[in-house]
Amino acid sequence: MKWYLSTLLIVCLHEICHLLMAYYFHFQIKKIELLPFGAYLYLKDFYFQSIWKEMCVVLAGPCSHLFIYAGIQMLSHGVYQDFLLTMNMFVLCFNLLPIYPLDGGRFLSLLLQSIMDLKKSLFLTLKISIFVYCLLFLFYLQMNTVVILCYLFYQLCCFYRFIFIYLRTYYGRIPSFSNQRPPLVHDRIIYRRGYHNYYVIDQKMRDEKEMIPELLKSIKKRKI
């Protein structure tokens, strides 16, 4: 029980740092869910704020392990310290895997959204997540990892359904940000987050708000 609670504490401290960064940027906190193997922070408006703020919230978790490492060095010793240092590194490395909804998967998604079409970035995130998950399943399927692997599989299924719901919601109420970036002009139906998008359709310039019906029509279910 001592080892288990110590590991759970590391995970909770990781999640608390996500929470503090979300509070700092005034995200809408929905809940923190405690699981047998960790915790998960739910934000109502994640993916509706600016990308750089969301990246800061995501990176706050991995950065917390530097402070956890310092705390372990000061407050423990011997075999117990070795165990805590090992688990601290394990939690950090596991969370950096590019599998949604781990921090690595979320950061990958945000990075892709900053450089390419929103819909394509989400599906590419899903494909990469499935590929890495399959590798993890093949090489690390053990009795003590079954629950975590099953949870990740469930979350990937939820992410697939979430993509279509999210796109409909986002396109339906495209948020406006005070942005110093120049606007983007497209000749096809794509959308870039963090920019004000314009479209040249039938030799006419149209604003992104005018293109909402066309963006909504572009959301089609497809096989991965």
Side-chain angles (χ1 to χ4, degrees):
M1 183 60 68
K2 175 183 177 181
W3 310 111
Y4 168 72
L5 292 177
S6 299
T7 305
L8 188 61
L9 178 61
I10 291 173
V11 176
C12 289
L13 289 173
H14 171 108
E15 212 64 29
I16 286 171
C17 285
H18 284 308
L19 177 65
L20 293 175
M21 188 62 73
Y23 268 125
Y24 178 78
F25 286 119
H26 306 292
F27 280 74
Q28 298 178 32
I29 312 299
K30 185 176 181 180
K31 65 177 178 178
I32 294 184
E33 190 176 72
L34 290 177
L35 303 169
F37 46 84
Y40 192 78
L41 172 65
Y42 290 88
L43 301 174
K44 290 182 180 179
D45 53 348
F46 197 83
Y47 286 143
F48 290 94
Q49 299 279 359
S50 66
I51 292 178
W52 76 270
K53 288 182 180 179
E54 293 171 358
M55 283 184 169
C56 288
V57 172
V58 170
L59 291 175
C63 289
S64 69
H65 292 275
L66 296 174
F67 301 101
I68 295 172
Y69 174 84
I72 292 172
Q73 291 284 12
M74 290 188 294
L75 301 176
S76 62
H77 59 275
V79 176
Y80 186 51
Q81 183 186 74
D82 294 338
F83 169 79
L84 292 177
L85 291 174
T86 301
M87 294 312 299
N88 184 53
M89 182 59 66
F90 171 79
V91 173
L92 171 61
C93 294
F94 180 75
N95 269 280
L96 290 178
L97 290 174
I99 303 174
Y100 194 91
L102 301 177
D103 293 338
R106 286 184 177 273
F107 185 80
L108 172 66
S109 179
L110 292 169
L111 184 62
L112 292 174
Q113 289 174 44
S114 70
I115 61 175
M116 61 189 299
D117 172 52
L118 177 58
K119 183 173 71 172
K120 286 184 179 180
S121 68
L122 292 171
F123 277 106
L124 183 55
T125 300
L126 182 58
K127 290 177 181 180
I128 294 173
S129 296
I130 291 173
F131 175 74
V132 178
Y133 174 82
C134 290
L135 294 178
L136 192 68
F137 185 87
L138 287 174
F139 293 104
Y140 291 96
L141 178 61
Q142 301 173 11
M143 287 299 295
N144 59 343
T145 61
V146 169
V147 175
I148 295 176
L149 289 172
C150 289
Y151 176 76
L152 287 177
F153 178 79
Y154 169 76
Q155 287 295 330
L156 287 174
C157 293
C158 290
F159 183 49
Y160 177 72
R161 295 195 299 268
F162 163 79
I163 289 175
F164 302 102
I165 298 171
Y166 166 68
L167 288 173
R168 293 189 194 100
T169 305
Y170 193 95
Y171 291 155
R173 57 181 182 95
I174 294 174
S176 299
F177 305 111
S178 54
N179 206 317
Q180 299 300 320
R181 290 180 175 180
L184 292 180
V185 180
H186 311 289
D187 58 359
R188 53 199 173 96
I189 309 300
I190 63 174
Y191 181 86
R192 289 282 302 277
R193 277 189 70 193
Y195 294 88
H196 196 102
N197 296 267
Y198 290 92
Y199 302 83
V200 178
I201 306 294
D202 297 328
Q203 298 183 340
K204 293 182 179 179
M205 184 77 75
R206 298 188 183 183
D207 183 78
E208 59 187 17
K209 298 291 185 181
E210 299 177 70
M211 295 299 295
I212 288 176
E214 297 302 321
L215 287 168
L216 290 172
K217 287 179 185 177
S218 71
I219 305 169
K220 296 178 182 179
K221 288 195 174 184
R222 63 183 185 180
K223 293 182 179 180
I224 302 301

